Amino acid sequence: MASTNGDTNGHSVKHDSRFDPDFTRHVINATGPKATPRMRKVMGSFIQHIHDFARENELTVEEWMAGVEMINWAGKMSDEKRNEGQLMCDVIGLESLVDEITFKLAAETNDAATASAILGPFFRHDAPVLENESTIVHGVDDGEITYMHGIVRDLKTKQPVAGAWIDVWQASTNGLYEQQDENQIEHNLRGKFKTDENGRYAYYCLRPTPYPVPADGPAGKLLKLLDRHPYRPAHIHLIVQREGYKPVTTQIFDSKGDYLEDDSVFAVKDSLLVDFVPLKGNPKATLELNYPILIAPIEKST
Amino acid sequence: MASTNGDTNGHSVKHDSRFDPDFTRHVINATGPKATPRMRKVMGSFIQHIHDFARENELTVEEWMAGVEMINWAGKMSDEKRNEGQLMCDVIGLESLVDEITFKLAAETNDAATASAILGPFFRHDAPVLENESTIVHGVDDGEITYMHGIVRDLKTKQPVAGAWIDVWQASTNGLYEQQDENQIEHNLRGKFKTDENGRYAYYCLRPTPYPVPADGPAGKLLKLLDRHPYRPAHIHLIVQREGYKPVTTQIFDSKGDYLEDDSVFAVKDSLLVDFVPLKGNPKATLELNYPILIAPIEKST
């Protein structure tokens, strides 16, 4: 049924004798001489895989069009506050996979810093800058307030890094990020904190709770079609960055929470599990999370 | 470097030892028991191919996000008059491929009717119903008017089929469909015609001219990134349908036109080439196109 040939771009071309054996090669070879080598490689491979996928499943026009409509729907729902195309990738594990690839490529040239995890579709670039020891929690009555703090250190020297930025965001106890919820104030449960001269950051946040990915878009529909639950385990998003260091995008997960084994977007890693511990003597919080962070200096080319 | 294992859904799982060998299987196996068998098969295969694609190319977060942004852009540009998600699929040959697959599956259960071709993104469901012998051309000064006519016949009996609907649409001489061009009247160069008691249809249209796919969206951007020209060979779109028959979606191509070998959306088939011939003695047209159409009756299950 199938034979394999090379095409002029060096891809392996799989043939199914029922369908035109030259078609995919013809499409791939349409790429012109001025395309970058990376674009030629990546799109050639993408075309090959998508065509193989269509042939192997004998995908019909109606099925393909249903996919096109989901993609267009994703774009229509997306704006500066929401990225549904990204969320669709998340529920098929693609963001988590490219995160793993990117992190591994970085790790092969340097020591491994704090493990990364997916950005998720609810990040906002314009979170407010806040003072250390302040809170990101406003108007939440049913949450467990957590005093989260730690020291950011240089992966190589292990010395504290002053002036590093911690971007933190999390959903509220009702499972909604502020941009999804008109009852939350703008930028609730988000903030940017800068490490002090001792590399220390500190703020008050919520102990996170599980929440479902939104059911009103194509990602939610895809989960229903796949008979999967939509829940994400309880987590806090972090981006840590400083000039001269590789930025780290990560999520930390409550080690005692549900859905750690079946996260709907497949983002959990053992190295990202953290323990929320009881805190005594602080009227502002009942829990504490000490979370040290390592960031890798960018190597000077020698 | 690579080994192959089966997963519980019966897919072949390719492993690259640098990345988590269990991840793709884990994502595929998250599909629940109530997913339809077809959904399980198609999405399992899609996840496998997309993950393999990401690993084989060591796709980075930045590259993946560039793809997400193109998908969201496609959705935002799409509306009832334009389908940019579809157009992106077209430039990588996917619509043409699923059309081939769908047509072949139909041909394996019945005789082959008039060859199909892709719908394209400029079809509108609300084209006006017109009388035979009327024109779809309004306000075009520089076109070659063509008298197009023919008889629709039953593939099996070869008898004329009365009451079949011919839906025709084409771009104007400036390369634009009416919904892309504010200088054309609504529904210009579109119409729905019904075959008479002798199975005959007839109308005046343009000899089609080549045109580029739109450059202002992600499909146009993708073509630029691939260093490909955006031109489509001159063609007329047709959908032919009648109750009791399989609908036919097709495009017919001017056999003397350019870009037949390198159509930007890969839709040309030899069986769809037609000849426009000089017409004498008709003040309304200088060319004639006699285009007979075969449609396949839907088999009664016995």
Side-chain angles (χ1 to χ4, degrees), chain B residues 31-52:
Chain B
T31 303
K34 289 181 203 141
T36 67
R38 180 65 178 162
M39 182 62 61
R40 179 186 308 276
K41 178 182 194 311
V42 169
M43 283 305 301
S45 170
F46 183 76
I47 291 166
Q48 185 69 56
H49 274 292
I50 285 292
H51 285 205
D52 286 345

Side-chain angles (χ1 to χ4, degrees), chain B residues 135-177:
Chain B
T135 185
I136 63 171
V137 186
H138 303 281
V140 183
D141 300 326
D142 56 347
E144 291 183 272
I145 304 295
T146 299
Y147 181 55
M148 179 170 171
H149 62 91
I151 294 178
V152 177
R153 292 181 186 275
D154 182 299
L155 177 73
K156 288 222 138 172
T157 66
K158 310 300 186 221
Q159 292 305 303
V161 178
W165 287 98
I166 317 281
D167 214 319
V168 57
W169 69 106
Q170 65 179 167
S172 188
T173 50
N174 64 358
L176 298 174
Y177 289 88

Side-chain angles (χ1 to χ4, degrees), chain A residues 185-290:
Chain A
I185 62 165
E186 178 89 348
H187 293 306
N188 193 29
L189 298 168
R190 283 175 200 281
K192 271 185 188 159
F193 297 87
K194 198 176 185 178
T195 57
D196 65 18
E197 67 278 14
N198 300 314
R200 190 168 182 279
Y201 72 91
Y203 48 76
Y204 293 87
C205 62
L206 290 176
R207 179 183 198 164
T209 41
Y211 66 83
V213 305
D216 59 339
K221 176 164 183 187
L222 185 57
L223 285 171
K224 279 199 199 77
L225 289 170
L226 292 173
D227 186 29
R228 281 169 45 188
H229 74 73
Y231 284 93
R232 300 226 48 218
H235 63 277
I236 297 172
H237 290 272
L238 296 171
I239 296 177
V240 185
Q241 39 196 341
R242 195 197 190 294
E243 214 185 307
Y245 290 85
K246 295 187 181 172
V248 173
T249 301
T250 195
Q251 297 176 30
I252 51 177
F253 296 88
D254 184 343
S255 65
K256 295 182 191 67
D258 292 330
Y259 307 112
L260 291 171
E261 296 300 318
D262 56 349
D263 179 4
S264 60
V265 306
F266 308 100
V268 180
K269 296 173 191 169
D270 288 347
S271 59
L272 298 173
L273 301 183
V274 296
D275 292 312
F276 291 79
V277 297
L279 177 65
K280 296 268 163 68
N282 183 335
K284 294 190 198 159
T286 56
L287 293 170
E288 178 178 14
L289 173 58
N290 183 342

Side-chain angles (χ1 to χ4, degrees), chain B residues 7-213:
Chain B
D7 68 7
T8 62
N9 283 321
H11 298 101
S12 140
V13 177
K14 211 193 287 175
H15 291 170
D16 182 317
S17 60
R18 297 177 65 208
F19 306 114
D20 178 355
D22 299 318
F23 182 71
T24 298
R25 186 167 21 189
H26 175 58
V27 174
I28 291 172
N29 289 348
T31 303
K34 289 181 203 141
T36 67
R38 180 65 178 162
M39 182 62 61
R40 179 186 308 276
K41 178 182 194 311
V42 169
M43 283 305 301
S45 170
F46 183 76
I47 291 166
Q48 185 69 56
H49 274 292
I50 285 292
H51 285 205
D52 286 345
F53 159 72
R55 279 186 291 256
E56 286 165 19
N57 296 281
E58 298 189 344
L59 200 69
T60 66
V61 169
E62 287 71 22
E63 291 172 329
W64 160 75
M65 186 51 82
V68 167
E69 279 163 13
M70 285 189 84
I71 282 174
N72 284 337
W73 183 15
K76 273 186 218 313
M77 289 195 92
S78 298
D79 54 31
E80 76 283 356
K81 291 183 172 182
R82 177 170 182 173
N83 191 330
E84 190 77 14
Q86 182 175 1
L87 193 59
M88 285 189 78
C89 292
D90 291 359
V91 302
I92 60 167
L94 187 57
E95 181 169 9
S96 201
L97 178 58
V98 296
D99 177 73
E100 183 201 2
I101 292 168
T102 305
F103 186 70
K104 235 170 234 157
L105 293 180
E108 284 169 3
T109 51
N110 288 278
D111 297 327
T114 295
S116 65
I118 66 178
L119 180 63
F122 299 109
F123 174 67
R124 291 181 64 179
H125 289 275
D126 56 350
V129 173
L130 301 174
E131 292 296 318
N132 279 313
E133 310 296 337
S134 66
T135 185
I136 63 171
V137 186
H138 303 281
V140 183
D141 300 326
D142 56 347
E144 291 183 272
I145 304 295
T146 299
Y147 181 55
M148 179 170 171
H149 62 91
I151 294 178
V152 177
R153 292 181 186 275
D154 182 299
L155 177 73
K156 288 222 138 172
T157 66
K158 310 300 186 221
Q159 292 305 303
V161 178
W165 287 98
I166 317 281
D167 214 319
V168 57
W169 69 106
Q170 65 179 167
S172 188
T173 50
N174 64 358
L176 298 174
Y177 289 88
E178 49 89 10
Q179 70 262 61
Q180 302 174 283
D181 184 0
E182 61 185 21
N183 293 319
Q184 290 182 53
I185 63 165
E186 179 89 348
H187 293 305
N188 194 28
L189 298 168
R190 285 174 199 281
K192 272 186 187 159
F193 297 87
K194 198 176 184 176
T195 56
D196 65 18
E197 67 277 16
N198 301 313
R200 190 168 181 280
Y201 71 91
Y203 48 77
Y204 294 88
C205 61
L206 291 176
R207 180 184 196 162
T209 41
Y211 66 82
V213 305

Side-chain angles (χ1 to χ4, degrees), chain B residues 284-302:
Chain B
K284 293 190 199 159
T286 57
L287 293 170
E288 177 177 14
L289 173 58
N290 183 341
Y291 187 65
I293 297 170
L294 289 172
I295 55 177
I298 293 169
E299 304 288 325
K300 303 279 192 301
S301 52
T302 51

Side-chain angles (χ1 to χ4, degrees), chain B residues 208-211 229 231-236 251-254 257-268:
Chain B
T209 41
Y211 66 82
H229 76 72
Y231 285 93
R232 299 226 49 218
H235 63 277
I236 297 172
Q251 297 176 30
I252 51 178
F253 296 88
D254 184 343
D258 292 330
Y259 307 113
L260 291 171
E261 296 300 319
D262 56 348
D263 179 5
S264 60
V265 308
F266 308 99
V268 181

